[in-house]
Structure formats: C-alpha cells, structure tokens
Amino acid sequence: MNNVYIFDHPLIKHKISLLRDKNTGMKEFRELIEEITVIMTYESMKDVELVPVEVETPLEKTVQYRVPEESVAIVPILRAGLGMVNGVHKVFPTARVGHIGMYRDETTLEPKEYYCKLPEGIENKTVFLVDPMLATGGSACDALAALKKRGCKKIKFMAIIAAPVGLEAVAKAHPDVPVYISTLDRCLNENGYILPGLGDAGDRLFGTK
Ligand code: PRP
Ligand code: URA
C-alpha cells in the first residue's frame, strides 16, 4: 500500500503496551495518547515546507528556516480524536481546530456524521485528521470525504492503532492521503473492535464506562 507509514519506534511500542493494558486508568491513558501523538506528529512532518527567515543571533545575522505560522489545522473525529489534539498542539501551538462528529451505528458499524465545523481558510492548510482507532475504516473514509468536499487538498490522517481491513479501505478510497499509524493489529472481532486493540478509546479517554 502506497502512502501508509507504520512507525516502528521502541518508545511508541513501550507506550502502546501501557495503553492496551486494561488496568491503565483514564488519566494515564489520556497522557499516553497525547505523548504518542507528539512523536507521530514529528515523524509525519518530515516533508513540512519551511520558509527562510533572517535571525539575529548575539553574534551575527543568519538565514534560518521556519514553519509558516497558521499553515497547519487539526481535525479530530469526535469523540476519541479529541484525545490527540493536545499532542499536535504541542508541536504546532497555533494550529486551528475543526471538528467532525462521527459515531458508528453499533449494529451496522456504518459511520454517521452528526457535526462538522471547520476553521476558515482550512482549504489552504495542511490538515491533520486524527482518530486513535482505525477499525473498519468507515469513519475515516467518510471524514476524509467530508474534508475534501469542503476544499481541503493536503490532508494527513493519523491513527494510533489500525486493523488491516480499515487501513486497506482508507488507502483504497483515498490513495492521495498519507496515513500514519503506530501499530497494525491483527483483526476485528464480531463487534468491530480491534484485536488485541485497547477497547473503546472514547470510553477510556473520557471515563464514560
Ligand atoms: C470509534 C473511533 C473511530 C471509530 C473507528 O469511535 O474513535 O472514530 O470508532 O471505527 P471504524 O473505523 O469502524 O469507523 P466511535 O464510533 O466508537 O465513537 P466515539 O469516539 O464517540 O466513542
Ligand atoms: N473504536 C474503538 O474505540 N475501539 C475499537 O477497537 C474499534 C473502534
């Protein structure tokens, strides 16, 4: 599959082992999601465009390179994607945030869009679409289509854990979108949960179960 990047970093492996553990509580779970997202954001921005700026050090003037202000936007897929926003903000503090609300119908597993609010000018930014879980791929495929419909041209999709079927679905429906994941799990169970996975990311982030 073109455009799919799986991070094989020992620190990510370490943090994912903690994330999966059912005894990891809400606070630590939230912190781990954020920490993993920071590492993923650095890794996925190796192709970021820089602009030259003149900087004066205490000794002389020099030309250096910076990421243009406001060139990045973050769009979490609600709810669980919210857990990744702070991680991207650690790297791009001025990034504006849009929101796409999706939930999976529990019997059909079909995604339903219930909310979409994006920052003005998003079509000219690099957009990070974020969601910790990529299961059937339905939510990610629909969210990517929603962003494209609203004019977004440069999108990166970041998920922490993916199932093979979901990864294939996104790569097939959106071959132009680079997909960054931290780990590729085995399969889905009969309820559409990723195995071995980590359970329901939204519930574990927000303590709803
Ligand atoms: C989870 C997850 C993804 C989606 C992945 O959200 O955060 O958005 O499922 O599944 P898919 O790849 O099969 O579409 P969920 O629908 O449980 O909503 P929530 O974040 O509000 O809990
Ligand atoms: N959504 C989750 O939160 N977990 C899964 O394993 C699949 C979808």
Side-chain angles (χ1 to χ4, degrees):
M1 274 177 283
N2 288 339
N3 261 355
V4 174
Y5 303 89
I6 305 178
F7 298 126
D8 185 23
H9 193 292
L11 285 178
I12 290 191
K13 281 201 171 94
H14 170 81
K15 289 180 192 299
I16 284 182
S17 80
L18 298 168
L19 205 57
R20 291 191 196 277
D21 189 332
K22 67 176 184 183
N23 297 313
T24 296
M26 185 177 67
K27 174 175 179 286
E28 195 186 352
F29 188 90
R30 202 169 52 229
E31 289 167 353
L32 285 163
I33 292 270
E34 185 176 322
E35 288 163 14
I36 293 168
T37 306
V38 172
I39 302 172
M40 292 182 77
T41 305
Y42 277 108
E43 287 292 318
S44 62
M45 284 304 262
K46 282 184 174 159
D47 61 349
V48 68
E49 280 171 35
L50 300 173
V51 291
V53 288
E54 194 177 77
V55 172
E56 199 168 345
T57 78
L59 301 173
E60 64 175 12
K61 284 186 180 165
T62 169
V63 174
Q64 297 293 303
Y65 295 89
R66 290 191 184 154
V67 179
E69 281 277 318
E70 301 263 335
S71 59
V72 166
I74 313 166
V75 178
I77 301 179
L78 304 179
R79 288 176 300 169
L82 286 173
M84 297 175 75
V85 173
N86 283 351
V88 185
H89 261 157
K90 285 257 154 71
V91 186
F92 296 106
T94 59
R96 294 184 189 224
V97 183
H99 296 87
I100 293 187
M102 295 265 174
Y103 71 90
R104 294 198 310 174
D105 182 294
E106 284 186 1
T107 37
T108 64
L109 300 182
E110 287 293 316
K112 309 269 181 225
E113 182 182 317
Y114 61 87
Y115 186 76
C116 185
K117 176 93 178 165
L118 303 175
E120 267 177 32
I122 193 166
E123 52 292 340
N124 300 317
K125 298 178 192 288
T126 298
V127 181
F128 274 103
L129 179 69
V130 293
D131 190 329
M133 309 305 280
L134 174 58
T136 64
S139 306
C141 284
D142 282 14
L144 287 166
L147 289 176
K148 287 179 179 176
K149 194 172 87 187
R150 289 160 176 95
C152 299
K153 293 175 281 294
K154 193 165 179 207
I155 312 171
K156 290 171 182 274
F157 177 56
M158 268 199 314
I160 294 180
I161 298 186
V165 66
L167 192 56
E168 271 168 38
V170 174
K172 192 165 167 211
H174 298 282
D176 54 314
V177 174
V179 179
Y180 302 89
I181 63 168
S182 277
T183 184
L184 184 59
D185 272 9
R186 199 171 73 248
C187 61
L188 299 181
N189 72 6
E190 61 285 6
N191 299 318
Y193 277 87
I194 300 175
L195 295 175
L198 49 69
D200 190 299
D203 285 339
R204 294 194 65 184
L205 272 166
F206 301 113
T208 36
K209 268 200 187 136

